């Protein structure tokens, strides 16, 4: 199957790779003011992990709940969380790794709960003829890509320092693998699938070495304090949409395709790699968050500590949502 690498695909890469501030583009003018209008702006990236929000927006679920919600598509990475910090959106969806990086510099951010998890969205591709024990060079992209690569190599009993790590972007990785410039990489579709089509092998998912990631809903502490009921109503709609996405991936794939112009078959396949459902933070989430903070501090991406007991609002979903948690 041939994939075109258009603007939307490249933006999807940034949504999971970037840990720096990105500029935004939105479905309604960014200058439209939220204060006094009841408008709730939700910043999202442009990849299938935001399927519940795309579904709720496309099918009028927010409007049916009496909410005026604007879904703002950003280049991903830190952009959504930075929008919340800047006050240009009220809520955002962010991967755990990115959220924590922004929280390190902005401790007023709060994570309300989880709306998706996956231990199979990220996969390991190796060059034909290369076994895991023989890896000498890995292509990596910043942030979660580097973190997962580090975990994968350690799971093999390899010291990451003994493997040459080549900084790449996900779209570059299949060609580098085919040319023999790298022995492997850890990424997500369509890039892993493209690598397989050109002679590579898909040898593992992150779940095979005990790794996973989550997407969180973020708000500022000041906005949340004044608008907790509204935040709960919005998150309640996301919870309903997440349940639909999990039960009816074809319906979700259509919403994704309509929202970000992704091929419906590709959207359907990617949705199957993700578990959608709203839930509270658990002990495991807190432990993983602390591990991420430690890793990124060691990499020089953040300084100081992140008080996960403060920024992760444990129990908020159970206390505020009508939908039963996943």
């Amino acid at each position: 199957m041939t994939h075109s690498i258009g603007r939307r695909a490249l933006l999807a890469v940034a949504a999971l790779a970037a840990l720096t501030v990105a500029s935004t583009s939105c479905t309604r003018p960014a200058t439209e003011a939220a204060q006094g209008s009841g408008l709730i702006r939700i910043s999202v990236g442009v990849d299938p992990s935001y399927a519940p929000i795309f579904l709720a927006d496309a099918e009028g679920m927010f409007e049916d709940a009496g909410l005026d919600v604007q879904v703002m598509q950003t280049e991903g990475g830190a952009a959504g969380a930075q929008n919340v910090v800047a006050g240009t959106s009220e809520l955002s969806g962010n991967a755990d790794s990115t959220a924590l990086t922004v929280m390190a510099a902005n401790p007023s951010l709060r994570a309300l709960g989880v709306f998706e998890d996956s231990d199979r969205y990220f996969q390991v591709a190796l060059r034909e003829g290369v076994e895991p024990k023989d890896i000498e060079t890995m292509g990596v992209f910043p942030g979660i890509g580097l973190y997962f690569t580090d975990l994968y190599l350690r799971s093999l009993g390899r010291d990451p320092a003994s493997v040459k790590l080549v900084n790449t972007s996900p779209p570059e990785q299949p060609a580098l693998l085919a040319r023999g410039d790298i022995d492997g990489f850890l990424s997500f579709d369509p890039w892993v699938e493209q690598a397989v089509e050109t002679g590579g092998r898909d040898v593992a998912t992150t779940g095979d070495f005990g790794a996973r990631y989550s997407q969180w809903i973020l708000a500022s502490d000041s906005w949340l304090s004044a608008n907790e009921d509204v935040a709960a109503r919005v998150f309640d709609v996301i919870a309903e949409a997440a349940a639909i996405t999990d039960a009816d991936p074809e319906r979700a794939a259509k919403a994704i395709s309509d929202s970000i112009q992704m091929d419906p078959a590709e959207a359907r396949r990617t949705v199957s790699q993700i578990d959608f459902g709203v839930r509270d933070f658990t002990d495991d989430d807190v432990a993983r968050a602390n591990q991420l903070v430690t890793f990124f501090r060691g990499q020089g991406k953040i300084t100081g500590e992140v008080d996960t007991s403060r920024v992760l609002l444990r129990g908020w979903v159970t206390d505020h949502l009508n939908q039963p948690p996943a």
Side-chain angles (χ1 to χ4, degrees), residues 125-319:
L126 294 183
R127 187 160 49 85
E128 186 62 39
V130 174
E131 296 300 323
K133 63 182 177 61
D134 301 321
I135 294 171
E136 296 182 357
T137 306
M138 287 284 285
V140 299
F141 60 86
I144 198 69
L146 178 60
Y147 176 70
F148 282 153
T149 299
D150 185 270
L151 292 180
Y152 175 62
L153 293 172
R154 291 182 189 280
S155 76
L156 302 174
R158 304 288 303 276
D159 179 357
S162 70
V163 176
K164 181 180 179 181
L165 302 181
V166 178
N167 289 327
T168 67
S169 67
E172 299 173 315
Q173 293 171 331
L176 293 173
L177 192 77
R179 290 202 305 263
D181 294 341
I182 57 176
D183 293 329
F185 64 86
L186 203 152
S187 192
F188 46 94
D189 284 332
W191 321 117
V192 173
E193 185 182 12
Q194 286 187 7
V196 171
E197 290 173 350
T198 54
R201 295 179 297 131
D202 182 354
V203 301
T205 68
T206 50
D208 294 327
F209 52 94
R212 61 189 298 113
Y213 85 103
S214 301
Q215 292 267 63
W216 302 346
I217 295 293
L218 305 183
S220 70
D221 183 50
S222 59
W223 181 85
L224 184 63
S225 297
N227 298 276
E228 201 147 36
D229 289 345
V230 173
R233 290 169 60 201
V234 173
F235 210 164
D236 202 52
V237 173
I238 294 173
E240 182 183 356
I244 293 170
T245 300
D246 207 50
D248 192 348
E250 294 291 347
R251 185 172 164 186
K254 182 181 185 305
I256 294 167
S257 178
D258 291 345
S259 299
I260 62 173
Q261 290 76 59
M262 174 178 277
D263 175 72
E266 182 179 322
R268 170 66 178 83
R269 184 181 64 255
T270 307
V271 164
S272 71
Q273 298 170 342
I274 302 172
D275 299 317
F276 294 95
V278 163
R279 62 176 180 79
D280 271 316
F281 293 110
T282 65
D283 290 343
D284 182 63
D285 292 311
V286 174
R288 189 166 66 250
N290 287 328
Q291 290 168 2
L292 283 163
V293 170
T294 299
F295 178 80
F296 289 124
R297 190 169 59 245
Q299 295 291 319
K301 299 297 184 182
I302 64 175
T303 58
E305 300 288 339
V306 177
D307 186 354
T308 53
S309 68
R310 183 176 178 82
V311 298
L312 274 63
L313 302 184
R314 299 191 66 174
W316 191 91
V317 169
T318 298
D319 291 344

Side-chain angles (χ1 to χ4, degrees), residues 7-13 15 25 44-50 54 73-76 259-260 262:
R7 177 176 176 272
R8 295 290 180 177
L10 291 174
L11 291 180
V13 172
S25 62
V44 300
V46 278
D47 70 83
S49 63
Y50 297 95
F54 294 143
Q73 294 180 8
T74 77
E75 293 184 3
S259 299
I260 62 173
M262 174 178 277

Side-chain angles (χ1 to χ4, degrees), residues 51-62 71 251 254-256 258-259:
I53 299 173
F54 294 143
L55 178 68
D57 189 40
E59 297 194 359
M61 295 173 66
F62 293 118
V71 176
R251 185 172 164 186
K254 182 181 185 305
I256 294 167
D258 291 345
S259 299

Side-chain angles (χ1 to χ4, degrees), residues 7-8 11 20-31 41-46 70-89 91-92 94:
R7 177 176 176 272
R8 295 290 180 177
L11 291 180
T20 57
V21 179
S23 62
T24 65
S25 62
C26 55
T27 56
R28 284 194 270 175
T31 56
R41 298 162 296 185
I42 307 176
S43 289
V44 300
V46 278
Q70 172 190 345
V71 176
M72 299 174 61
Q73 294 180 8
T74 77
E75 293 184 3
Q82 291 287 358
N83 281 353
V84 173
V85 172
T88 55
S89 70
L91 301 168
S92 73
N94 286 93

Side-chain angles (χ1 to χ4, degrees), residues 95-152:
D96 46 12
S97 57
T98 304
L100 289 162
T101 303
V102 179
M103 285 171 165
N106 300 278
S108 64
L109 281 176
R110 298 291 180 266
L112 311 186
V114 177
F115 70 95
E116 66 111 302
D117 300 271
S118 181
D119 63 358
R120 57 195 184 280
Y121 186 49
F122 286 85
Q123 305 150 66
V124 180
L126 294 183
R127 187 160 49 85
E128 186 62 39
V130 174
E131 296 300 323
K133 63 182 177 61
D134 301 321
I135 294 171
E136 296 182 357
T137 306
M138 287 284 285
V140 299
F141 60 86
I144 198 69
L146 178 60
Y147 176 70
F148 282 153
T149 299
D150 185 270
L151 292 180
Y152 175 62

